[in-house]
Amino acid sequence: MGGCVSTSSRSTCSSRGNGEPVSPACLGRGCCGQKRSKRTFSDHVVTLHNLPSIPNRVFMNGKSRSSCIFTQQGRKGINQDAMIVWEDFMSEDVTFCGVFDGHGPHGHLVARKVRDALPIKLLSFLLSNQSKQHGSGRTCFKGNMKKSDGTDSEKDGSAEDQLTSLWREAYMKSYKAMDKELKSHPNLDCFCSGSTAVTMVKQGSNLFMGYIGDSRAIMGSKDNNDSLVAIQLSVDLKPDLPRESERIKRCKGRVFALQDEPEVPRVWLPFDDAPGLAMARAFGDFCLKEYGVISVPEFFHRTLTERDQFIVLASDGVWDVLSNEEVVEIVSSAPTRSSAARILVDSAAREWKLKYPTSKMDDCAVVCLFLDGKMDSESDYEEQGFSSATLQSNHSGNANESDDGQKSEPSLQRNFTVRSSDENDTYSRVLSADDEGNGETIAAEDQNWSGLEGVTRVNSLVHLPRFSEERPNP
């Protein structure tokens, strides 16, 4: 059975179209209108304040019932990648996954904010839209829809179309609301900082995806010869894609690559060679939102089959050095499923050293979701260097979490994604971001924003002194 969203004229549902908390009355009932015996997070009002108490939500290195996730900081400063796996997202067979790659001086804060807030907005809009469409009726959306002949096939097809339409609208509205919240956030400067997002929801045999930026999703699936092949599920939304480039130029933005990196097209302001964003869609980056950069996601729906084995979401630190086929091979050949994400990141780190020996490795974040819902035993899990304490820390609300499991000093340095025209300038900023329940307070001391060695590309060449409050130190 798939997820069931029920509404009633007697319901006290308080879900709103702006991503606010969702009432348990809208979530805690099954297809027959009776409460489920097994409690999930749906039995609680979901806000950023009670995220730490939600079960089956993993956002640090570790595993869940059907997935493993791992991130590793690069060699340029604080890790700006974030990731999440949220099982029992809407009901017991619904899983939400996401990878977010921040860029700019505050990119790590943007990525974490989106990681925490976007799933809640998605769920809230989903319930709000369903309630509007069906009024006081009750509609059950099954994750596994088996079509039969004749009238039954037409009914099933119509129900699946309605389900897809519902998720598409929820994705569009939640991404829009997320970007709006970032723009109005009192303590988080997103003018020259932003984040990618590749998110997916698995509901039974249905897969729904929404993504912006250049983080990527692929799937390992068996072909007719039972050979494992790689299927790319998302498109890297680069500025040189015809549709993206046309929109940016129509809005007076400019798209071109620098002479020293002709393979990396970037978005520039019409009146200045800045900021040089290496993607066409992103959360934040409001200095470019009037010039063609958007946060509207590409939406994708796919019906899964028994041939589909696993899905990998990863930031561009992985895709810059590994092909889709190599990633599928690495994940499928991992000694245990719980180690797959970690081994993939280790493989990417080795490739960085081999292919770009004079460059600094980018941050890497990986989510591996196994579609049969099976994982390794706890003993296999602990053999790979994880422990029960790691699992507990995944549900912690510590705002100053370090994704490698260690506390790290907060920093705004991001050599890979931000560099100034004068590489010897030193900038200082103190940022206090009360992240609506996460309690994030980030204080950054003087940081050197240096240029890159070798051929490594950066996502944003921030050279906007007129747009920031930063002042060079003497």
Side-chain angles (χ1 to χ4, degrees):
M1 289 294 292
C4 177
V5 182
S6 302
T7 60
S8 172
S9 58
R10 298 180 182 178
S11 173
T12 59
C13 175
S14 62
S15 64
R16 299 176 176 86
N18 58 0
E20 294 182 8
V22 180
S23 168
C26 299
L27 289 167
R29 298 186 181 277
C31 296
C32 298
Q34 298 178 352
K35 291 186 178 180
R36 299 191 303 270
S37 58
K38 182 178 179 180
R39 291 176 61 87
T40 69
F41 98 97
S42 306
D43 300 313
H44 306 279
V45 176
V46 182
T47 67
L48 289 175
H49 294 278
N50 63 11
L51 280 180
S53 65
I54 296 175
N56 304 317
R57 177 181 178 270
V58 184
F59 62 92
M60 293 171 63
N61 295 346
K63 75 164 188 176
S64 64
R65 294 193 306 264
S66 60
S67 68
C68 61
I69 67 177
F70 194 86
T71 185
Q72 179 174 313
Q73 178 178 316
R75 300 177 64 88
K76 282 77 53 187
I78 192 169
N79 190 345
Q80 292 196 300
D81 287 358
M83 57 190 180
I84 185 174
V85 171
W86 193 337
E87 295 179 340
D88 299 338
F89 176 61
M90 190 176 69
S91 65
E92 295 175 13
D93 70 334
V94 181
T95 301
F96 175 91
C97 301
V99 165
F100 314 92
D101 184 359
H103 53 263
H106 308 148
H108 57 298
L109 299 179
V110 179
R112 293 177 186 178
K113 177 66 176 178
V114 175
R115 175 199 67 191
D116 292 341
L118 183 61
I120 298 175
K121 294 182 183 298
L122 180 63
L123 182 58
S124 178
F125 278 114
L126 177 71
L127 296 175
S128 176
N129 293 344
Q130 191 271 343
S131 178
K132 292 178 182 178
Q133 289 181 9
H134 302 284
S136 61
R138 179 178 290 114
T139 301
C140 180
F141 297 100
K142 297 182 179 180
N144 298 292
M145 296 183 178
K146 297 182 179 180
K147 296 184 179 181
S148 57
D149 297 333
T151 305
D152 291 339
S153 177
E154 294 179 0
K155 290 182 179 179
D156 290 342
S158 176
E160 186 169 4
D161 290 342
Q162 291 180 8
L163 179 64
T164 301
S165 177
L166 184 68
W167 278 103
R168 178 185 289 107
E169 187 174 0
Y171 262 105
M172 296 299 172
K173 289 185 175 181
S174 60
Y175 271 62
K176 182 179 180 180
M178 185 73 253
D179 208 42
K180 183 178 179 181
E181 179 178 336
L182 290 173
K183 187 175 183 179
S184 60
H185 198 289
N187 299 316
L188 184 55
D189 183 2
C190 302
F191 195 69
C192 299
S193 300
S195 177
T196 71
V198 55
T199 60
M200 53 153 275
V201 174
K202 178 183 176 294
Q203 183 182 20
S205 63
N206 286 291
L207 182 68
F208 305 100
M209 286 186 57
Y211 57 91
I212 56 177
D214 56 2
S215 297
R216 187 185 304 174
I218 68 167
M219 180 167 62
S221 184
K222 291 184 177 180
D223 60 14
N224 294 331
N225 298 322
D226 280 342
S227 299
L228 204 58
V229 297
I231 301 175
Q232 186 164 328
L233 301 177
S234 63
V235 176
D236 299 346
L237 295 172
K238 303 290 190 179
D240 61 337
L241 293 180
R243 186 175 62 170
E244 305 298 311
S245 179
E246 291 175 5
R247 182 190 67 249
I248 293 169
K249 293 177 180 179
R250 188 169 59 250
C251 296
K252 308 304 180 183
R254 296 181 297 158
V255 177
F256 63 87
L258 298 176
Q259 291 183 357
D260 60 347
E261 47 177 19
E263 75 285 355
V264 184
R266 298 181 179 277
V267 184
W268 310 86
L269 292 168
F271 49 81
D272 196 4
D273 290 344
L277 184 65
M279 62 195 72
R281 306 190 193 189
F283 285 121
D285 295 304
F286 294 109
C287 65
L288 289 170
K289 284 295 166 69
E290 295 182 2
Y291 303 106
V293 173
I294 61 176
S295 59
V296 179
E298 285 291 300
F299 177 81
F300 173 79
H301 169 244
R302 181 186 180 95
T303 301
L304 300 172
T305 69
E306 293 181 355
R307 292 186 175 274
D308 301 328
Q309 303 300 303
F310 57 83
I311 293 173
V312 178
L313 311 180
S315 59
D316 62 347
V318 173
W319 309 115
D320 282 347
V321 293
L322 294 174
S323 66
N324 295 346
E325 292 73 21
E326 289 172 330
V327 168
V328 167
E329 174 63 24
I330 292 169
V331 172
S332 63
S333 60
T336 59
R337 287 188 170 186
S338 59
S339 67
R342 183 178 184 177
I343 290 177
L344 180 55
V345 172
D346 290 343
S347 299
R350 287 193 296 270
E351 288 301 310
W352 272 98
K353 294 179 180 178
L354 291 174
K355 294 182 177 180
Y356 306 116
T358 62
S359 300
K360 295 181 179 179
M361 173 185 165
D362 190 15
D363 304 327
C364 295
V366 171
V367 170
C368 296
L369 177 68
F370 296 94
L371 299 176
D372 60 5
K374 299 178 181 178
M375 286 295 285
D376 310 306
S377 65
E378 183 67 21
S379 60
D380 291 337
Y381 183 61
E382 293 181 351
E383 286 177 1
Q384 296 304 315
F386 300 107
S387 65
S388 300
T390 306
L391 287 176
Q392 294 296 328
S393 69
N394 286 332
H395 306 293
S396 170
N398 184 4
N400 294 323
E401 85 272 10
S402 173
D403 289 332
D404 59 3
Q406 299 178 351
K407 293 184 179 180
S408 61
E409 291 296 327
S411 166
L412 296 182
Q413 182 176 0
R414 175 63 170 169
N415 292 336
F416 184 61
T417 55
V418 182
R419 66 183 179 187
S420 64
S421 59
D422 185 356
E423 295 177 357
N424 295 323
D425 284 352
T426 302
Y427 292 86
S428 175
R429 172 184 289 269
V430 175
L431 173 69
S432 175
D434 181 10
D435 205 1
E436 293 188 13
N438 284 343
E440 289 189 352
T441 300
I442 305 297
E445 297 180 355
D446 292 353
Q447 300 293 336
N448 291 323
W449 292 0
S450 62
L452 292 175
E453 302 172 305
V455 296
T456 309
R457 72 169 176 81
V458 299
N459 285 333
S460 178
L461 307 179
V462 176
H463 175 49
L464 293 173
R466 72 188 68 181
F467 293 141
S468 77
E469 299 174 359
E470 297 162 352
R471 294 180 298 177
N473 289 336

